[in-house]
Amino acid sequence: MLTETDQRLLRIAYDEARTGFDEGGCPIGSVLARGGQVVAQGRNRRVQQGDPIAHGEMDALRKAGRQKTYRDTVLYTSLSPCMMCSGTIVQFGIPRVVIGDTRNFGGNEDFLRARGVDVVIADDPDCIALMQRFIAEKPDLWAEDIAE
């Protein structure tokens, strides 16, 4: 179930995704939060930086810098995390992930749940619509992003 805090932080992730879209990149945004406060936020910068692992979640985690622990954090992401990002979530021990969109891309939710992560699917209409628009307008870039 989404709380008001979840909705507010997921909106920041969406805004990051929108910025990435406006920059010509893949519209995926993410926020790492602790106690309802933003630790860091980021967006997919694969196109902007020419970096194949600069996914939204990775960008937010990189901006967060070193943390003594992640066990008291929540990761918000506009799109379901890929296997690389899911593995990082598990590796860092992030206990809760809130996902805006699993309709356009999904599949790793069970992987996360099987490793004890509380996965919340928001089915956010803005996240879903932005990704649908991106896939329709830039199918080649989308296929590259998901490694197809």
Side-chain angles (χ1 to χ4, degrees):
M1 185 170 130
L2 287 180
T3 67
E4 284 184 28
T5 299
D6 290 335
Q7 292 171 352
R8 176 177 56 83
L9 293 167
L10 186 58
R11 176 56 41 182
I12 295 169
Y14 168 79
D15 290 343
E16 284 283 345
R18 181 64 200 218
T19 298
F21 180 85
D22 292 344
E23 293 171 344
C26 304
I28 304 164
S30 188
V31 172
L32 182 69
R34 178 179 283 117
Q37 301 299 313
V38 174
V39 174
Q41 60 194 68
R43 62 185 167 275
N44 185 302
R45 294 177 190 260
R46 292 181 63 257
V47 171
Q48 299 91 316
Q49 295 179 348
D51 180 349
I53 62 169
H55 289 203
E57 300 89 341
M58 300 303 243
D59 189 48
L61 291 167
R62 186 174 284 130
K63 287 178 177 176
R66 292 174 56 201
Q67 301 288 311
K68 289 185 186 279
T69 185
Y70 295 87
R71 297 193 188 287
D72 59 349
T73 64
V74 178
L75 187 73
Y76 297 84
T77 182
S78 63
L79 185 69
S80 185
C82 71
M83 185 52 73
M84 175 180 69
C85 295
S86 294
T88 302
I89 290 163
V90 171
Q91 176 70 30
F92 287 4
I94 297 171
R96 186 168 184 260
V97 176
V98 177
I99 303 169
D101 173 12
T102 59
R103 294 183 191 188
N104 289 296
F105 181 80
N108 294 313
E109 299 81 20
D110 288 342
F111 169 84
L112 291 168
R113 286 185 183 114
R115 283 149 186 86
V117 179
D118 177 20
V119 176
V120 179
I121 299 171
D123 278 330
D124 182 86
D126 292 334
C127 291
I128 294 166
L130 179 61
M131 186 53 67
Q132 285 174 338
R133 179 178 172 196
F134 172 73
I135 292 168
E137 291 180 10
K138 298 186 177 183
D140 291 342
L141 186 54
W142 170 242
E144 177 188 328
D145 193 65
I146 60 171
E148 283 192 354

